[in-house]
Amino acid sequence: MPALSPTMTAGNIGTWQKAAGDTIAPGDVLVEIETDKAQMDFEFQEEGVLAKILKESGEKDVAVGNPIAVMVEEGTDVAPFESFTLDDAGGEKAPPPKESKEEAAESSEPADTGSKTSPSTLPKDAPKQESAPEPQESESAGGRLQTSLDREPSASPSAKALALERGVPIKQVKGTGPGGRITKQDIEKYKPAASAAPSAPAAGAAPTYEDIPASSMRKTIANRLQQSMNQNPHYFVAATISVSKLLKLRQALNTSADGAYKLSLNDFLIKACAVACKKVPAVNSSWREIDGQVIIRQHNTVDVSVAVATPIGLMTPIVKGVESLGVSSISGQVKDLGKRARDGKLKPEEYQGGTFTISNMGMNAAIDRFTAVINPPQAGILAVGTTKKVAIPSTAEEGNGVEWDDQVVVTASFDHKVVDGAVGGEWIKEFKKVVENPLEMLL
């Protein structure tokens, strides 16, 4: 079992893309593995032949380092490996205790950073178990406990996204891909059964709810956000900002681009965040404990994490060094990172870290404003609502009429351990200033 992220201690086996006897080339996808962060493809980096699969699809909580398959050199006879077992491969170690796994999953950084801020160290009064509990047979079904991978069919990220968009019940779709994997084409061809509707009233005793197993990704999100709310004293600063000049600048640039780029309002807001962070560097900082010493680390570059909704949960890919990037470069990176986040193709270093976060729900016209939870160990996050047209007194010399102004409400959440209230207010002031006078981004 490979370690596909710095915090991974165990993983679940998804669909095997190769069968025993298949030849493997460097870069071939061998198997899907569900980590504590996402479901990822494990690409093999050596040449060889898959002689034996030791862990079948659906196996859960396989510890990192445990054997999952046997590889041999090309040309080797694989027939003798048919009876090869886990014991022949040296056996397997027990998965790590649940507490350790969760604490590791909550950290937003690789272990070698020395940061101890994100996971809390809680007293453990209960005695430690000498060994992990043995798997138990289900009393109701007479078989082994059903895993989340068994309950949810294997599907490609694009198929999951399309099913979510169209409201297709993915459990009712028959996959035509390798190993029964559900593809995007299967979702497009899906037609609900005609007999499904009349059968519902007949099940009078059927439950009125559905229990959906929490994925590793969902557990990690829940743990980290709970830790953030418990350990970081949040306070919120809101401001109403005029974006009329910014929208006119955006329109002019897109018109003159001749298709080379298409800038969004969010691209400019990401740049504005970097400008404000450079002017108020206390916000571009984080609270850390290193070797028992508490420090506040102030970052020299502004790496903005951009919240992206994906079929498996919220991801925050990072646009690095935003203070030195042009808006067109920011736009290109956001589009690329967002697409790969939704497809489950991000590398760990592309979503771990960051110095500030922006979460924009402006695409939903029903949301005027909202507050966001800080992404530890960062000290701030900006929540952006939708753009509204507001009547304001006219600036024209004649008459006392009104004119329409495009406005947006932004709400910044700050960690009071790092950022005092007055400092947070100064950051919002600088952000508002640069957004309402967008040419200042060039300075």
Side-chain angles (χ1 to χ4, degrees), residues 8-276:
M8 177 179 172
T9 56
N12 302 338
I13 302 293
T15 303
W16 284 92
Q17 303 299 320
K18 300 290 184 179
D22 288 353
T23 300
I24 311 296
D28 284 355
V29 176
L30 183 62
V31 63
E32 294 176 356
I33 293 177
E34 182 183 358
T35 72
D36 58 339
K37 300 290 185 183
Q39 184 163 317
M40 305 174 67
D41 292 334
F42 172 39
E43 297 180 357
F44 205 67
Q45 300 302 321
E46 299 180 18
E47 294 182 347
V49 177
L50 179 58
K52 176 73 173 182
I53 294 175
L54 300 176
K55 290 288 186 180
E56 298 294 338
S57 297
E59 292 284 353
K60 190 175 181 182
D61 290 335
V62 180
V64 169
N66 277 359
I68 61 173
V70 179
M71 301 293 299
V72 296
E73 294 183 358
E74 192 171 354
T76 304
D77 184 12
V78 300
F81 290 92
E82 291 183 3
S83 58
F84 199 85
T85 65
L86 269 174
D87 292 335
D88 296 327
E92 60 178 332
K93 62 182 180 181
K98 182 178 180 182
E99 291 79 8
S100 298
K101 177 182 175 183
E102 289 181 352
E103 288 179 2
E106 289 161 9
S107 175
S108 67
E109 299 184 336
D112 59 1
T113 62
S115 172
K116 302 178 183 178
T117 305
S118 186
S120 62
T121 305
L122 300 177
K124 297 178 175 63
D125 297 327
K128 295 183 179 179
Q129 298 293 328
E130 293 184 359
S131 61
E134 294 294 329
Q136 297 181 358
E137 298 295 322
S138 170
E139 295 180 0
S140 58
R144 72 173 185 176
L145 294 176
Q146 192 179 31
T147 67
S148 61
L149 288 173
D150 291 331
R151 294 190 186 103
E152 182 177 348
S154 174
S156 66
S158 58
K160 290 181 180 179
L162 185 61
L164 184 66
E165 177 183 339
R166 297 189 177 183
V168 173
I170 203 164
K171 293 182 180 179
Q172 298 180 17
V173 180
K174 184 177 181 180
T176 59
R181 181 182 176 89
I182 297 173
T183 65
K184 185 177 180 181
Q185 290 72 24
D186 296 328
I187 301 296
E188 293 173 342
K189 296 177 182 178
Y190 171 78
K191 294 181 179 180
S195 60
S199 64
T208 58
Y209 58 85
E210 179 184 3
D211 290 333
I212 302 174
S215 65
S216 297
M217 177 73 167
R218 176 53 51 190
K219 292 176 184 177
T220 300
I221 292 173
N223 289 333
R224 293 199 63 237
L225 294 184
Q226 185 178 23
Q227 289 282 349
S228 178
M229 291 301 294
N230 289 340
Q231 297 183 4
N232 301 325
H234 286 55
Y235 73 92
F236 311 99
V237 181
T240 300
I241 298 178
S242 171
V243 292
S244 295
K245 293 181 181 178
L246 189 56
L247 292 178
K248 290 178 182 178
L249 175 62
R250 168 180 171 264
Q251 182 180 13
L253 291 173
N254 284 340
T255 301
S256 62
D258 197 22
Y261 52 77
K262 185 176 181 181
L263 306 177
S264 70
L265 175 61
N266 201 49
D267 300 331
F268 287 94
L269 297 183
I270 292 171
K271 180 65 176 180
C273 285
V275 173

